[in-house]
C-alpha cells in the first residue's frame, strides 16, 4: 500500500522514533493520528507538526476503552507505544509484561476489527538477547530473557498469528540501536544521547564495562525509511525483519568519535558493567535489503554530527 494520501495511526507517536515517523508520514501527504499517553512521549517532539491540518494528536492510553474509536477509517497502524529505556524497563518488570503484552494484543485485535489493512509493530533487537549466533538472523535463535524482550517476541507472534489465521498484512521490525535528534538523553535514555550530552559538558563519558560491547547504530531517518518501505511492500506480509546497518561499533569507538566531533575535553571513565548487559549486537540485514530494496545511507559520523547539532541547540 503506497503511503500517500492514506490515513495512518501511530501509537507512541510523541516518542523519539514515533515523532520522526509522524513527520515523515505527513511529508508524504498522509493524514496522521498520533496516539500517546505522554508517559514518556513529549509534546515538544511533535510541536512543529501541530500546525499541519493533517495531523491529529490524541492523548490517550491504547488500553483505554475508547481507543478503538480512533481506528475508524484508518488504513495503516504503526504500533510503537511501549515502556522504553533499559533502566526503566528493568525497574518495571511486571508493568512491562502486563502493559506491553496486553497492549499489542489489544491494538492488533481492534485494528483487525476496524478493517486496518497494514499493521507494523516496533519489535527490538533485544529479542536476540545475548546472541547465540552472529550475525543475528530472523530465522535463527532468539534468546529473549528480559521482560521487555519477551513482550516484543510475544508481540511478533501475535502479528504472525493474525497473518496466518486472518490473512492480515502484519510486519514486525526488529530495530537495532536507533539514535538521533529528540532521543532521551537522561540517565533513563540511550547511549548516543547520553555520551553527546556528557561530551558537550566536558564531563566524563561513562562507559559500562571495558568498552568492547558492540551495537549496530542506525540514524533515525534511515530507520523511518525502512519502516515506511516495510508498509509499502506487500512482500513483508507476515514477516519479521531486522532493521540495522550491519556495521557494529564498540562503545569505546563511539565515545572517541563523539569526543572528536564535539571537540570535547571529556575523558572516558570505565565503570562496572551493567548487570545482564548484552555484549554484542550484529544483525544479518539480508532480508531487509532483499524485501525492502533498502539499506541505511547515513553513516555514523554524519548521523552523530546531526545529532550533536540538535543537542547544541537544545
Ligand atoms: C536498548 C533497548 C533495546 C533497543 C535499544 C535501542 C531495553 C531492554 N533495550 O538496548 O530494545 O533496541 O536500546 O536504542 O530496553 N552504555 C554505557 N554508558 C551509558 C549508557 C549505556 O556504556 O551511560 C552502554 C550499555 O551498557 C550498552 C550500550 O551502551 O552496552 C547501549 O545501551 P542503551 O543505549 O541503553 O541500549 P541497549 O542496551 O542497546
Amino acid at each position: 500500500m503506497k503511503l500517500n494520501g492514506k490515513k495512518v495511526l501511530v501509537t507512541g507517536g510523541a516518542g523519539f522514533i514515533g515523532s520522526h515517523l509522524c513527520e515523515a508520514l505527513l511529508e508524504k501527504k498522509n493524514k496522521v493520528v498520533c496516539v500517546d499517553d505522554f508517559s514518556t512521549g513529549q509534546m515538544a517532539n511533535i510541536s512543529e507538526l501541530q500546525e499541519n491540518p493533517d495531523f491529529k494528536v490524541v492523548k490517550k492510553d491504547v488500553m483505554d476503552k475508547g481507543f478503538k474509536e480512533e481506528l475508524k477509517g484508518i488504513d495503516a497502524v504503526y504500533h510503537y507505544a511501549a515502556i522504553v529505556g533499559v533502566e526503566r524497563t528493568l525497574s518495571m518488570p511486571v508493568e512491562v509484561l502486563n502493559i506491553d503484552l496486553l497492549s499489542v494484543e489489544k491494538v492488533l485485535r481492534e485494528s483487525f476489527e476496524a478493517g486496518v489493512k497494514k499493521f507494523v509493530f516496533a519489535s527490538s533487537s533485544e529479542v536476540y538477547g545475548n546472541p547465540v549466533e552472529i550475525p543475528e538472523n530472523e530465522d535463527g535463535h532468539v534468546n529473549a530473557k528480559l521482560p521487555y524482550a519477551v513482550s516484543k517476541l510475544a508481540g511478533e507472534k501475535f502479528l504472525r498469528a493474525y497473518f496466518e489465521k486472518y490473512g492480515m498484512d502484519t510486519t514486525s521490525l526488529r530495530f537495532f540501536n536507533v539514535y538521533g535528534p529528540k532521543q532521551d538523553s537522561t540517565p533513563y535514555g540511550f547511549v548516543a544521547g547520553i555520551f553527546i550530552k556528557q561530551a558537550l559538558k566536558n564531563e566524563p563519558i561513562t562507559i559500562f564495562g571495558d568498552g568492547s560491547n558492540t551495537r549496530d547504530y542506525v540514524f533515525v531517518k534511515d530507520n523511518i525509511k525502512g519502516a515506511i518501505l516495510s508498509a509499502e511492500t506487500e512482500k513483508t506480509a507476515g514477516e519479521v525483519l531486522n532493521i540495522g546497518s550491519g556495521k557494529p561499533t564498540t562503545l569505546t569507538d563511539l565515545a572517541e568519535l563523539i569526543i572528536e566531533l564535539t571537540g570535547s575535553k571529556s575523558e572516558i571513565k570505565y565503570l562496572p558493567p551493567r548487570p545482564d548487559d548484552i555484549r554484542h549486537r550484529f544483525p544479518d540485514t539480508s532480508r531487509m535489503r532483499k524485501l525492502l530494496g533498502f539499506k541505511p545511507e547515513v553513516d555514523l559520523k554524519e548521523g552523530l554530527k546531526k545529532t550533536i547539532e540538535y543537542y547544541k541547540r537544545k
Side-chain angles (χ1 to χ4, degrees):
M1 183 201 324
K2 272 270 160 274
L3 286 182
N4 175 272
K6 297 290 188 311
K7 220 174 156 191
V8 187
L9 184 143
V10 182
T11 72
F16 159 53
I17 307 181
S19 61
H20 283 278
L21 176 64
C22 289
E23 186 182 347
L25 289 166
L26 288 168
E27 274 166 18
K28 285 173 69 75
K29 306 280 176 242
N30 296 285
K31 287 191 189 307
V32 177
V33 181
C34 159
V35 180
D36 206 299
D37 68 354
F38 291 92
S39 52
T40 55
Q42 303 279 332
M43 207 46 103
N45 287 345
I46 49 172
S47 54
E48 284 166 23
L49 310 179
Q50 302 256 31
E51 286 153 28
N52 190 325
D54 288 336
F55 188 58
K56 179 181 163 193
V57 183
V58 180
K59 185 174 186 304
K60 205 176 261 181
D61 186 330
V62 297
M63 294 307 287
D64 283 1
K65 235 178 159 187
F67 168 73
K68 61 172 182 265
E69 298 306 313
E70 306 303 330
L71 290 164
K72 284 184 184 151
I74 295 288
D75 297 298
V77 168
Y78 282 87
H79 180 46
Y80 280 24
I83 301 173
V84 290
V86 176
E87 297 297 338
R88 191 177 289 104
T89 56
L90 289 180
S91 66
M92 303 170 76
V94 177
E95 290 85 347
V96 168
L97 281 170
N98 269 333
I99 299 170
D100 285 356
L101 208 51
L102 295 178
S103 64
V104 64
E105 188 279 329
K106 179 176 181 289
V107 175
L108 178 62
R109 175 170 37 84
E110 292 180 348
S111 297
F112 174 68
E113 287 165 0
V116 167
K117 292 177 215 66
K118 178 83 202 188
F119 192 97
V120 180
F121 172 52
S123 181
S124 169
S125 51
E126 198 74 34
V127 301
Y128 293 109
N130 262 315
V132 179
E133 58 218 352
I134 292 273
E136 295 159 304
N137 175 279
E138 293 91 340
D139 294 330
H141 287 92
V142 286
N143 196 12
K145 289 204 175 116
L146 298 176
Y148 177 83
V150 170
S151 81
K152 292 295 186 190
L153 196 56
E156 292 181 3
K157 300 295 175 197
F158 270 117
L159 265 74
R160 178 71 197 178
Y162 270 68
F163 168 73
E164 282 176 6
K165 189 166 163 84
Y166 306 115
M168 189 181 184
D169 185 344
T170 60
T171 307
S172 296
L173 304 176
R174 290 182 180 165
F175 292 159
F176 283 70
N177 290 53
V178 187
Y179 70 98
K182 301 184 188 174
Q183 189 170 36
D184 182 359
S185 57
T186 67
Y188 283 101
F190 298 91
V191 67
I194 293 174
F195 284 3
I196 290 173
K197 236 179 170 174
Q198 291 169 336
L200 289 174
K201 290 189 194 157
N202 294 313
E203 288 172 358
I205 307 261
T206 54
I207 288 186
F208 300 139
D210 64 5
S212 65
N213 286 4
T214 55
R215 292 292 188 269
D216 183 273
Y217 296 97
V218 179
F219 188 59
V220 63
K221 300 280 181 202
D222 272 331
N223 168 284
I224 300 299
K225 274 187 198 161
I228 288 181
L229 282 170
S230 71
E232 292 193 318
T233 315
E234 280 173 16
K235 288 182 259 180
T236 57
E239 294 283 354
V240 173
L241 260 86
N242 289 338
I243 301 289
S245 74
K247 290 182 200 133
T249 303
T250 66
L251 284 171
T252 299
D253 285 345
L254 178 72
E256 284 174 351
L257 188 53
I258 289 173
I259 290 172
E260 179 199 316
L261 294 174
T262 50
S264 172
K265 295 188 185 67
S266 292
E267 284 179 1
I268 296 177
K269 192 168 164 189
Y270 291 92
L271 300 170
R274 210 180 225 173
D276 296 327
D277 202 3
I278 307 295
R279 293 276 288 122
H280 299 293
R281 284 218 190 104
F282 182 9
D284 179 342
T285 58
S286 51
R287 184 177 293 173
M288 174 192 84
R289 285 182 278 120
K290 185 168 164 229
L291 296 187
L292 306 184
F294 157 82
K295 63 174 179 8
E297 287 158 8
V298 182
D299 73 14
L300 185 58
K301 200 168 184 176
E302 199 185 329
L304 285 175
K305 275 189 195 162
K306 289 184 199 278
T307 313
I308 291 165
E309 283 315 309
Y310 166 81
Y311 283 110
K312 276 189 183 163
R313 285 198 306 272
K314 262 192 84 184

